[in-house]
Amino acid sequence: MPLLREKGIELYLKREDTIHPLISGNKYRKLKHNLLKAKKAGKQTLLTFGGAFSNHIAATACAGHEQGIKTIGVIRGEELQDNWQDNPTLTLAHEHGMQFHFVSRSEYKLKNEPSFIQNLKDRFGDVYVLPEGGTNDLAVKGCMEILTEEDKQFDYICSAVGTGGTIAGLINAARPHQTVLGFPALKGDFLTEEISTFVHNDRWKLVTDYHFGGYAKVDQPLIDFINLFKEKTGVPLDPIYTGKMLFGIFDFVKKDVFTPGTQILAIHTGGLQGIKGMNRILRKKNLPLLNV
């Protein structure tokens, strides 16, 4: 059954968030082939990067624990070093065995520099390095597996966008008649160049009007939309990615961007572990909380 049937348009939601209880959505897909490569290469430790509420950090820790591989998280923000126990994402990662290495925000900007990575290898040994967000060629390969034969009926495939790996996989897997729409959580159109390095066609577009001020930024209309969506459908949305994407899709329908008869498939990429952390922020700002 479609989530929305209005103006001759049908919207369906693919529940990637339900494929694993902890390593949900696109993180499961991104990690799959990287874990296989790490194990094949005999690596005992994964090292990766992320912020305080990173879905990728949480998922990597849980995947490593499940696969018997040690994990190290290079965490942005030295100020977290003494109070990470108050952070639900980092607590989850720690409970699943992740070791933390906190760096300053200026240092963190060097995360893709060969010298910075080499220093980490000198410190931690023979590690398998995953980039921030997990996006690399193997992650894109995993995300191509999101779309299946039964999804060929759709005209549009919609996804939230963080580092660009998920949408790159969807673009490569989409049928010739399908257009992929990406809804970035970050301000600006700078991801276009990054995504272009991974994709093989131009049947895609980034919709940059629904970031709500930037990454991890929300407002009351978005909170109200997410809570109403949960009330009506029973489906929880995260406020950083899927909530913003679906807000944008519903707004597109309202503004007649889609023609009658259009069939849309939106991908629920998970990220629900971040709701607890966001609710702490909302409570401090005296804003309504997200229903969980």
Side-chain angles (χ1 to χ4, degrees):
M1 290 289 293
L3 282 175
L4 174 71
R5 183 181 282 128
E6 188 175 318
K7 300 181 180 181
I9 297 162
E10 290 187 341
L11 169 65
Y12 293 79
L13 186 66
K14 189 156 194 168
R15 296 291 305 275
E16 285 285 292
D17 60 306
T18 63
I19 61 178
H20 190 281
L22 292 173
I23 318 162
S24 73
N26 61 337
K27 301 307 178 187
Y28 180 95
R29 303 290 189 178
K30 287 182 171 184
L31 287 166
K32 175 183 174 182
H33 293 288
N34 276 291
L35 284 167
L36 289 172
K37 183 178 179 180
K39 295 183 81 170
K40 186 176 181 180
K43 303 288 186 180
Q44 301 296 314
T45 305
L46 295 178
L47 181 145
T48 195
F49 308 83
F53 298 101
S54 167
N55 294 324
H56 173 65
I57 286 292
T60 300
C62 295
H65 183 263
E66 186 175 274
Q67 296 291 321
I69 298 176
K70 296 177 183 178
T71 56
I72 298 169
V74 179
I75 308 298
R76 181 182 67 246
E78 287 178 312
E79 71 277 5
L80 295 165
Q81 187 158 352
D82 297 325
N83 60 1
W84 63 262
Q85 296 92 340
D86 297 329
N87 179 292
T89 298
L90 297 182
T91 298
L92 175 65
H94 177 76
E95 289 172 349
H96 287 81
M98 178 171 276
Q99 175 185 349
F100 299 134
H101 176 58
F102 296 94
V103 299
S104 67
R105 294 172 187 277
S106 58
E107 283 183 283
Y108 192 82
K109 291 178 181 178
L110 305 174
K111 62 186 178 295
N112 296 322
E113 296 294 327
S115 60
F116 184 71
I117 293 173
Q118 186 58 53
N119 286 338
L120 291 170
K121 289 181 176 179
D122 291 342
R123 177 171 183 149
F124 294 109
D126 186 27
V127 296
Y128 184 93
V129 178
L130 279 169
E132 181 182 44
T135 292
N136 59 15
D137 288 336
L138 291 176
V140 173
K141 178 182 178 181
C143 289
M144 288 179 65
E145 297 169 6
I146 293 173
L147 294 181
T148 62
E149 177 71 18
E150 65 184 18
D151 300 324
K152 66 182 180 181
Q153 71 187 74
F154 296 101
D155 304 295
Y156 286 90
I157 309 295
C158 296
S159 174
V161 180
T163 54
T166 302
I167 191 173
L170 294 171
I171 292 165
N172 288 340
R175 301 299 180 101
H177 68 278
Q178 294 176 324
T179 300
V180 179
L181 297 180
F183 294 78
L186 301 164
K187 279 185 179 181
D189 195 29
F190 62 93
L191 281 166
T192 299
E193 184 176 349
E194 176 72 15
I195 294 167
S196 296
T197 64
F198 293 108
V199 302
H200 313 309
N201 66 71
D202 59 359
R203 298 185 303 276
W204 59 281
K205 178 184 177 182
L206 294 185
V207 181
T208 58
D209 301 324
Y210 298 97
H211 52 68
F212 286 83
Y215 183 73
K217 300 290 182 63
V218 300
D219 61 15
Q220 186 155 345
L222 178 62
I223 297 167
D224 292 343
F225 171 82
I226 291 172
N227 285 338
L228 183 61
F229 189 91
K230 171 76 181 300
E231 181 183 326
K232 287 189 172 182
T233 67
V235 179
L237 303 175
D238 86 285
I240 309 302
Y241 296 108
T242 55
K244 294 178 179 180
M245 170 193 65
L246 279 159
F247 187 103
I249 294 171
F250 273 64
D251 198 42
F252 266 27
V253 173
K254 181 180 178 181
K255 293 176 178 176
D256 296 321
V257 174
F258 299 114
T259 58
T262 297
Q263 290 202 315
I264 306 161
L265 178 66
I267 310 298
H268 193 317
T269 50
L272 299 176
Q273 66 82 26
I275 291 177
K276 288 183 180 179
M278 179 57 73
N279 274 342
R280 291 190 177 195
I281 295 171
L282 295 175
R283 192 175 287 111
K284 290 178 181 178
K285 293 183 177 182
N286 293 318
L287 287 170
L289 302 184
L290 294 158
N291 296 332
V292 293

